[in-house]
Amino acid sequence: MTPSQTRLLAALMVAALGLSACSTVDRFNPFKGSTPKEVATEGDRISIISADQKLEPAEALKGVDFALPPAETVAAWPLPGGSPEQAMGNAKAAPQLAIAWRKGIGQGSKNGELITAPPVAADGKVFTMDGQAEVTAHDARTGDRLWRINMRPTDNKRDREGFGGGLAFADGKLYVTSGFRLVAQLDANSGRVGWRVRTEQPIHGAPTVFGGRVMAVALDNTLLTFDAGTGAPGWTYQALSESARILAASSPAVSGDTVVAAFGSGELIALRTANGNDLWNNALSRASRTSALSEIRDIPGRPVIYGGDVFAVSHSGVFAATDLRTGAARWSLPVVGITSPLPEGDVVYVVGTDGKLICASRESGQIYWVHDMNPGWVVRKRGGLWGIGSHEVPKPLWTSPILVDNRLIMTASDGQLVALNAKTGELEKKLNLGAPSLMSPIAMGNMIYLVTDNGQLVAIR
């Protein structure tokens, strides 16, 4: 594993400020609306999952089939999760699953400059952001560069490293968030800046644009909103402060008049899109934790709204389905995750940091199957002389899956792209990308697009 790959893994897995107690920073009780009968004191968290729950296929589901939505051609993938709900369906694309072309997008990951922004696509273009906040528009068919603009502020002397952020497309405009403390609107055809707003805190996740609002989560666990047309700041919501978190961030999910945001505190919060009034607040946290890393309660993956439920997974070890309207916990499983779940049809897929891909019933949480994405992996060491100064090669981490023609498409930190049978989990095809890719792939038209750690936009036909 190269130094840049190691740094990328560290950015996803290392806590921002070290492990210490969290403090309450707003007046809301984070546990109202949750189903546990225990009562939490302010700043405490209650486990919603039993310590002895096992990840095993359910006997009742052995041999039972399930339905998936039909594959349809996707005209645009304007958000990292596809739609405001962060759920995109079954895309019809890439029948050959072969590399069509590669194009450089700018600076790859190195030192503190890391590519963490997934691409988005619309109007025949694919938009990317590199490790130095340089945004590029590419022709979706050929990959040719249409325009490029560097969004790194020239007057920002305190942020030498500003990784993270992301992109969103809406109504002919491209919206940008950045670890360099900014939110901006660009013209999607020319790259011309419409407006630019500086923020107090870095933004490590992509924005969500819906109903004329731009919504993004800042590093200090604040949900920020802006007027999409003018950039004028709107309402904000402050979640619990948390000093230990994953150096990554989530994007809010929106359905109708409800926005659901996930935070580094492990809180999953539903708010009114019009004014930010809170509807419910749940904490995805386990009471039984066995290591310092398990104290990190972050939900770095996007929450997903599907079929009236919200699906989210935390680093603390809770994968849960929550009723969107009431906030009642429907079911939960003990999964440690840093990615987004994929609910489709009758099932929901999720991959843990241990490399186990799970297919569960969307209604009950019972497990259809568990597939090990790293079969036969053993601890290996590289470098050094006679073992002195060597380092352990980490187990590959996997991205959130997307569903393409009844195949689960995933990429990994060791440079693999795989296609799995969505019904059985069996491996159907594998590609070597030549570099890690820890941003989820997207699909538009007949192509799959992804960005690799070395600054390449790769199209799969």
Side-chain angles (χ1 to χ4, degrees), residues 6 10 21 28 46 52 65 113 138-139 168 211 217 242 308 324 378-379 410 420:
T6 303
F28 298 109
I46 292 175
D52 59 350
D65 194 15
E113 299 165 344
H138 310 260
D139 184 281
V217 178
E242 190 71 54
L324 174 63
V378 295
V379 175
M410 304 171 68
L420 307 174

Side-chain angles (χ1 to χ4, degrees), residues 64-87:
V64 176
D65 194 15
F66 54 81
L68 293 172
E72 298 179 346
T73 301
V74 173
W77 198 291
L79 301 172
S83 70
E85 293 85 3
Q86 307 294 354

Side-chain angles (χ1 to χ4, degrees), residues 235-289:
W235 57 262
T236 64
Y237 181 89
Q238 178 68 66
L240 291 174
S241 176
E242 190 71 54
S243 57
R245 63 176 302 166
I246 304 294
L247 293 184
S250 173
S251 302
V254 186
S255 179
D257 63 353
T258 303
V259 53
V260 179
F263 297 94
S265 57
E267 294 173 278
L268 188 67
I269 298 175
L271 308 163
R272 292 288 185 198
T273 55
N275 52 26
N277 288 346
D278 66 317
L279 300 174
W280 50 261
N281 185 330
N282 289 339
L284 303 190
S285 178
R286 297 186 71 183
S288 175
R289 293 181 287 270

